[in-house]
PDB file of all heavy atoms in Angstrom:
ATOM      1  N   ILE A 266     143.140   5.868 -19.333  1.00 96.00           N
ATOM      2  CA  ILE A 266     144.220   5.150 -19.986  1.00 96.00           C
ATOM      3  C   ILE A 266     145.222   6.086 -20.526  1.00 96.00           C
ATOM      4  O   ILE A 266     144.917   7.098 -21.199  1.00 96.00           O
ATOM      5  CB  ILE A 266     143.709   4.225 -21.114  1.00 96.00           C
ATOM      6  CG1 ILE A 266     142.724   3.125 -20.573  1.00 96.00           C
ATOM      7  CG2 ILE A 266     144.810   3.595 -21.879  1.00 96.00           C
ATOM      8  CD1 ILE A 266     142.207   2.204 -21.580  1.00 96.00           C
ATOM      9  N   PHE A 267     146.499   5.861 -20.126  1.00 95.00           N
ATOM     10  CA  PHE A 267     147.650   6.718 -20.536  1.00 95.00           C
ATOM     11  C   PHE A 267     148.484   5.965 -21.561  1.00 95.00           C
ATOM     12  O   PHE A 267     148.724   4.797 -21.401  1.00 95.00           O
ATOM     13  CB  PHE A 267     148.521   7.067 -19.330  1.00 95.00           C
ATOM     14  CG  PHE A 267     147.730   7.852 -18.299  1.00 95.00           C
ATOM     15  CD1 PHE A 267     147.008   7.188 -17.314  1.00 95.00           C
ATOM     16  CD2 PHE A 267     147.696   9.210 -18.317  1.00 95.00           C
ATOM     17  CE1 PHE A 267     146.279   7.871 -16.371  1.00 95.00           C
ATOM     18  CE2 PHE A 267     147.035   9.942 -17.323  1.00 95.00           C
ATOM     19  CZ  PHE A 267     146.333   9.288 -16.344  1.00 95.00           C
ATOM     20  N   VAL A 268     148.951   6.665 -22.587  1.00 94.00           N
ATOM     21  CA  VAL A 268     149.689   6.049 -23.660  1.00 94.00           C
ATOM     22  C   VAL A 268     150.981   6.784 -23.890  1.00 94.00           C
ATOM     23  O   VAL A 268     151.066   8.027 -23.925  1.00 94.00           O
ATOM     24  CB  VAL A 268     148.831   6.065 -25.009  1.00 94.00           C
ATOM     25  CG1 VAL A 268     149.564   5.201 -26.095  1.00 94.00           C
ATOM     26  CG2 VAL A 268     147.468   5.622 -24.720  1.00 94.00           C
ATOM     27  N   LYS A 269     152.097   6.050 -24.098  1.00 90.00           N
ATOM     28  CA  LYS A 269     153.317   6.592 -24.495  1.00 90.00           C
ATOM     29  C   LYS A 269     153.968   5.722 -25.635  1.00 90.00           C
ATOM     30  O   LYS A 269     153.476   4.662 -25.960  1.00 90.00           O
ATOM     31  CB  LYS A 269     154.359   6.535 -23.346  1.00 90.00           C
ATOM     32  CG  LYS A 269     154.029   7.467 -22.126  1.00 90.00           C
ATOM     33  CD  LYS A 269     155.122   7.461 -21.076  1.00 90.00           C
ATOM     34  CE  LYS A 269     156.379   8.142 -21.626  1.00 90.00           C
ATOM     35  NZ  LYS A 269     157.441   8.298 -20.622  1.00 90.00           N
ATOM     36  N   VAL A 270     154.958   6.351 -26.297  1.00 88.00           N
ATOM     37  CA  VAL A 270     155.582   5.607 -27.387  1.00 88.00           C
ATOM     38  C   VAL A 270     157.100   5.846 -27.299  1.00 88.00           C
ATOM     39  O   VAL A 270     157.579   6.906 -27.038  1.00 88.00           O
ATOM     40  CB  VAL A 270     155.029   5.992 -28.801  1.00 88.00           C
ATOM     41  CG1 VAL A 270     155.304   7.516 -29.029  1.00 88.00           C
ATOM     42  CG2 VAL A 270     155.681   5.225 -29.922  1.00 88.00           C
ATOM     43  N   ASN A 271     157.868   4.796 -27.542  1.00 83.00           N
ATOM     44  CA  ASN A 271     159.334   4.839 -27.607  1.00 83.00           C
ATOM     45  C   ASN A 271     159.752   4.244 -28.993  1.00 83.00           C
ATOM     46  O   ASN A 271     159.284   3.170 -29.400  1.00 83.00           O
ATOM     47  CB  ASN A 271     160.006   4.059 -26.492  1.00 83.00           C
ATOM     48  CG  ASN A 271     159.976   4.770 -25.210  1.00 83.00           C
ATOM     49  OD1 ASN A 271     160.759   5.625 -24.932  1.00 83.00           O
ATOM     50  ND2 ASN A 271     159.030   4.435 -24.318  1.00 83.00           N
ATOM     51  N   VAL A 272     160.638   4.960 -29.663  1.00 78.00           N
ATOM     52  CA  VAL A 272     160.944   4.623 -31.071  1.00 78.00           C
ATOM     53  C   VAL A 272     162.309   3.927 -31.076  1.00 78.00           C
ATOM     54  O   VAL A 272     163.265   4.452 -30.577  1.00 78.00           O
ATOM     55  CB  VAL A 272     160.972   5.830 -31.927  1.00 78.00           C
ATOM     56  CG1 VAL A 272     161.325   5.477 -33.416  1.00 78.00           C
ATOM     57  CG2 VAL A 272     159.664   6.596 -31.935  1.00 78.00           C
ATOM     58  N   ASN A 273     162.322   2.717 -31.728  1.00 73.00           N
ATOM     59  CA  ASN A 273     163.614   2.060 -31.860  1.00 73.00           C
ATOM     60  C   ASN A 273     164.358   2.609 -33.048  1.00 73.00           C
ATOM     61  O   ASN A 273     163.692   2.940 -34.091  1.00 73.00           O
ATOM     62  CB  ASN A 273     163.323   0.535 -32.063  1.00 73.00           C
ATOM     63  CG  ASN A 273     162.815  -0.120 -30.794  1.00 73.00           C
ATOM     64  OD1 ASN A 273     163.150   0.278 -29.718  1.00 73.00           O
ATOM     65  ND2 ASN A 273     161.944  -1.078 -31.024  1.00 73.00           N
ATOM     66  N   PRO A 274     165.662   2.675 -33.012  1.00 68.00           N
ATOM     67  CA  PRO A 274     166.394   3.252 -34.110  1.00 68.00           C
ATOM     68  C   PRO A 274     166.454   2.424 -35.341  1.00 68.00           C
ATOM     69  O   PRO A 274     166.382   1.186 -35.217  1.00 68.00           O
ATOM     70  CB  PRO A 274     167.777   3.501 -33.513  1.00 68.00           C
ATOM     71  CG  PRO A 274     167.938   2.477 -32.394  1.00 68.00           C
ATOM     72  CD  PRO A 274     166.566   2.347 -31.883  1.00 68.00           C
ATOM     73  N   ASN A 275     166.557   3.051 -36.499  1.00 68.00           N
ATOM     74  CA  ASN A 275     166.858   2.300 -37.697  1.00 68.00           C
ATOM     75  C   ASN A 275     167.805   3.230 -38.578  1.00 68.00           C
ATOM     76  O   ASN A 275     168.301   4.142 -38.035  1.00 68.00           O
ATOM     77  CB  ASN A 275     165.576   1.881 -38.499  1.00 68.00           C
ATOM     78  CG  ASN A 275     164.774   3.183 -38.941  1.00 68.00           C
ATOM     79  OD1 ASN A 275     165.318   4.274 -39.078  1.00 68.00           O
ATOM     80  ND2 ASN A 275     163.469   3.017 -39.008  1.00 68.00           N
ATOM     81  N   ASP A 276     168.007   2.903 -39.810  1.00 62.00           N
ATOM     82  CA  ASP A 276     169.001   3.622 -40.615  1.00 62.00           C
ATOM     83  C   ASP A 276     168.362   4.713 -41.452  1.00 62.00           C
ATOM     84  O   ASP A 276     169.054   5.352 -42.223  1.00 62.00           O
ATOM     85  CB  ASP A 276     169.734   2.653 -41.545  1.00 62.00           C
ATOM     86  CG  ASP A 276     170.602   1.625 -40.768  1.00 62.00           C
ATOM     87  OD1 ASP A 276     171.063   2.054 -39.675  1.00 62.00           O
ATOM     88  OD2 ASP A 276     170.728   0.513 -41.221  1.00 62.00           O
ATOM     89  N   ALA A 277     167.135   4.990 -41.266  1.00 69.00           N
ATOM     90  CA  ALA A 277     166.456   5.958 -42.113  1.00 69.00           C
ATOM     91  C   ALA A 277     166.658   7.405 -41.634  1.00 69.00           C
ATOM     92  O   ALA A 277     166.700   7.717 -40.423  1.00 69.00           O
ATOM     93  CB  ALA A 277     164.971   5.661 -42.191  1.00 69.00           C
ATOM     94  N   ASN A 278     166.831   8.288 -42.585  1.00 73.00           N
ATOM     95  CA  ASN A 278     166.916   9.728 -42.221  1.00 73.00           C
ATOM     96  C   ASN A 278     165.531  10.391 -42.169  1.00 73.00           C
ATOM     97  O   ASN A 278     165.275  11.258 -41.390  1.00 73.00           O
ATOM     98  CB  ASN A 278     167.708  10.500 -43.273  1.00 73.00           C
ATOM     99  CG  ASN A 278     169.185  10.208 -43.209  1.00 73.00           C
ATOM    100  OD1 ASN A 278     169.699   9.865 -42.069  1.00 73.00           O
ATOM    101  ND2 ASN A 278     169.900  10.265 -44.269  1.00 73.00           N
ATOM    102  N   ALA A 279     164.642   9.856 -43.054  1.00 66.00           N
ATOM    103  CA  ALA A 279     163.300  10.477 -43.102  1.00 66.00           C
ATOM    104  C   ALA A 279     162.387   9.929 -41.999  1.00 66.00           C
ATOM    105  O   ALA A 279     162.638   8.892 -41.446  1.00 66.00           O
ATOM    106  CB  ALA A 279     162.699  10.159 -44.454  1.00 66.00           C
ATOM    107  N   PRO A 280     161.383  10.698 -41.692  1.00 72.00           N
ATOM    108  CA  PRO A 280     160.400  10.210 -40.635  1.00 72.00           C
ATOM    109  C   PRO A 280     159.727   8.917 -41.079  1.00 72.00           C
ATOM    110  O   PRO A 280     159.591   8.688 -42.258  1.00 72.00           O
ATOM    111  CB  PRO A 280     159.403  11.393 -40.522  1.00 72.00           C
ATOM    112  CG  PRO A 280     160.104  12.592 -41.035  1.00 72.00           C
ATOM    113  CD  PRO A 280     161.093  12.052 -42.083  1.00 72.00           C
ATOM    114  N   PHE A 281     159.365   8.073 -40.105  1.00 76.00           N
ATOM    115  CA  PHE A 281     158.671   6.865 -40.448  1.00 76.00           C
ATOM    116  C   PHE A 281     157.459   6.712 -39.523  1.00 76.00           C
ATOM    117  O   PHE A 281     157.382   7.305 -38.488  1.00 76.00           O
ATOM    118  CB  PHE A 281     159.648   5.671 -40.353  1.00 76.00           C
ATOM    119  CG  PHE A 281     160.470   5.633 -39.056  1.00 76.00           C
ATOM    120  CD1 PHE A 281     159.998   5.097 -37.916  1.00 76.00           C
ATOM    121  CD2 PHE A 281     161.692   6.238 -39.065  1.00 76.00           C
ATOM    122  CE1 PHE A 281     160.775   5.034 -36.734  1.00 76.00           C
ATOM    123  CE2 PHE A 281     162.519   6.179 -37.929  1.00 76.00           C
ATOM    124  CZ  PHE A 281     162.041   5.564 -36.738  1.00 76.00           C
ATOM    125  N   LEU A 282     156.495   5.934 -40.000  1.00 80.00           N
ATOM    126  CA  LEU A 282     155.219   5.874 -39.372  1.00 80.00           C
ATOM    127  C   LEU A 282     155.183   4.578 -38.404  1.00 80.00           C
ATOM    128  O   LEU A 282     155.613   3.531 -38.792  1.00 80.00           O
ATOM    129  CB  LEU A 282     154.145   5.671 -40.466  1.00 80.00           C
ATOM    130  CG  LEU A 282     152.686   5.573 -39.946  1.00 80.00           C
ATOM    131  CD1 LEU A 282     152.228   6.917 -39.317  1.00 80.00           C
ATOM    132  CD2 LEU A 282     151.742   5.234 -41.139  1.00 80.00           C
TER     133      LEU A 282
END
Side-chain angles (χ1 to χ4, degrees):
I266 294 184
F267 299 86
V268 188
K269 293 185 69 175
V270 60
N271 285 280
V272 181
N273 293 326
N275 61 29
D276 293 330
N278 288 330
F281 46 88
L282 181 67

